[in-house]
Amino acid sequence: MGYMGFGMRKEVYKRKPKKSFERIKEHQKFEINTKHLPKYNVSKEYQNFRFKSLRDRKWFRLALRTLLFVFVLFLVWISVIVPYRFERGKSEFESHGIVSFFDDNDFDHLLGFVSQRSDKILSIEKHWFDSGVGIWIKSPNYGGDGFFGRTSVAHNDGDKISIENDVLYLSTETENKVFDSDWSIYLTINNISDLDETVIEYLRTTRQELDEILRAVYNKGLEIENSENGSLLSFNNYYGYYSIHHQSELDTGLVVLNQIKANTYLTKRTYSY
């Protein structure tokens, strides 16, 4: 074979180390003192090495600034713009929007129905714990002699009631009761057909008209009540809990926000303890 380079020379790759080096290794030991050396954080150094190029790139800095700007804008929107728009919408609703809201929901008809039967109806409301509508019916002389002497009749599922000549007849599974004066009864109505015809006649209405009233109360989540100060329709919307006072002297616990029409006011109840 010919010459193939320095690395292929036999005298090079066959060469053995001198014995002097072996004697030095046997008699000399090297010790490394690591007490005064700084600690090396492998994870931190790896992260610096791994993401150093990413932090130095322009698009990364631009994205970071964009996210910071969006976050600040979100805080401004939540803390400043949203409350401002809410208060402005609330003010517009209480000053102008309530008139169209009153007409669109036919509140005049609902208030008129209840107020014309103030001698028969205490209140009509959506039953929050059931799927029906609750209605308080009373005798014409209810409350005439003060609180004592009044009778609040408990009505359970399966009980049958009828009213004739202002006298309430209650039939249960075990007994029949008669209440001739100063009575009131709370009925939960799921189906208008469950009411006895004498109850419909007592309320001076028709089954169809009462069904429309109860459906409107249920669908809109309303509460309509009669009191010594007149009729009050309460509703809840995006801007808060409101009441509409109708044909009455205003209660001292109400704050008048706007007059919708003659003897009809948008009010907000205040509570004092």
Side-chain angles (χ1 to χ4, degrees), residues 4-263:
M4 299 181 65
F6 177 78
M8 296 300 294
R9 294 175 60 184
K10 184 176 180 181
E11 62 183 27
V12 174
Y13 63 80
K14 292 282 187 177
R15 185 177 298 174
K16 298 181 179 180
K18 294 182 178 181
K19 294 183 178 180
S20 58
F21 289 103
E22 294 179 359
R23 290 195 294 269
I24 291 174
K25 291 180 180 179
E26 292 177 0
H27 299 286
Q28 189 175 7
K29 296 181 179 180
F30 296 93
E31 295 182 359
I32 300 176
N33 188 359
T34 60
K35 293 182 179 180
H36 302 290
L37 294 178
K39 293 183 178 181
Y40 183 75
N41 191 331
V42 178
S43 177
K44 182 178 180 181
E45 294 298 328
Y46 173 76
Q47 295 297 330
N48 291 337
F49 170 76
R50 172 69 177 80
F51 296 105
K52 184 176 181 180
S53 59
L54 183 62
R55 292 195 304 268
D56 293 340
R57 294 187 180 184
K58 292 183 179 180
W59 69 265
F60 180 79
R61 294 197 297 268
L62 179 61
L64 188 62
R65 292 172 183 173
T66 303
L67 289 176
L68 182 61
F69 174 76
V70 171
F71 178 72
V72 173
L73 188 64
F74 175 76
L75 291 180
V76 173
W77 174 268
I78 292 297
S79 59
V80 179
I81 299 179
V82 171
Y84 169 75
R85 295 185 62 180
F86 176 82
E87 292 298 330
R88 186 179 66 177
K90 180 180 178 181
S91 178
E92 291 179 353
F93 172 77
E94 294 175 354
S95 59
H96 302 95
I98 182 58
V99 177
S100 58
F101 185 80
F102 181 85
D103 295 334
D104 294 342
N105 289 277
D106 201 19
F107 284 168
D108 194 23
H109 175 60
L110 298 176
L111 279 167
F113 178 88
V114 176
S115 62
Q116 291 170 10
R117 294 160 178 81
S118 59
D119 59 332
K120 308 283 187 178
I121 297 176
L122 283 173
S123 67
I124 303 177
E125 62 182 358
K126 179 180 179 180
H127 199 290
W128 299 108
F129 303 104
D130 200 351
S131 59
V133 177
I135 178 171
W136 271 105
I137 303 176
K138 69 183 186 71
S139 62
N141 61 347
Y142 179 75
D145 297 329
F147 178 79
F148 296 101
R150 299 180 184 180
T151 303
S152 294
V153 181
H155 177 263
N156 301 314
D157 293 340
D159 295 348
K160 296 182 180 180
I161 70 166
S162 60
I163 305 174
E164 297 180 8
N165 298 322
D166 298 340
V167 178
L168 174 65
Y169 298 89
L170 175 64
S171 176
T172 68
E173 294 181 354
T174 58
E175 59 181 337
N176 297 323
K177 297 181 180 180
V178 178
F179 304 91
D180 56 359
S181 64
D182 213 10
W183 55 263
S184 67
I185 185 170
Y186 185 80
L187 304 177
T188 301
I189 302 174
N190 295 302
N191 193 333
I192 194 67
S193 61
D194 295 337
L195 285 180
D196 189 81
E197 188 63 31
T198 58
V199 179
I200 302 295
E201 295 175 356
Y202 178 76
L203 295 177
R204 300 193 300 270
T205 183
T206 62
R207 196 174 295 272
Q208 180 179 356
E209 182 184 26
L210 182 60
D211 184 56
E212 293 175 354
I213 296 296
L214 298 181
R215 287 182 182 276
V217 170
Y218 177 81
N219 293 331
K220 299 177 185 352
L222 306 177
E223 179 182 357
I224 313 174
E225 58 181 313
N226 285 315
S227 66
E228 296 177 355
N229 296 321
S231 300
L232 193 69
L233 184 151
S234 300
F235 64 94
N236 194 16
N237 70 353
Y238 176 72
Y239 299 110
Y241 186 76
Y242 295 93
S243 298
I244 297 178
H245 226 77
H246 180 62
Q247 292 182 352
S248 64
E249 297 180 0
L250 291 176
D251 189 354
T252 56
L254 297 173
V255 176
V256 178
L257 300 174
N258 191 9
Q259 183 174 0
I260 302 174
K261 52 183 290 189
N263 298 324

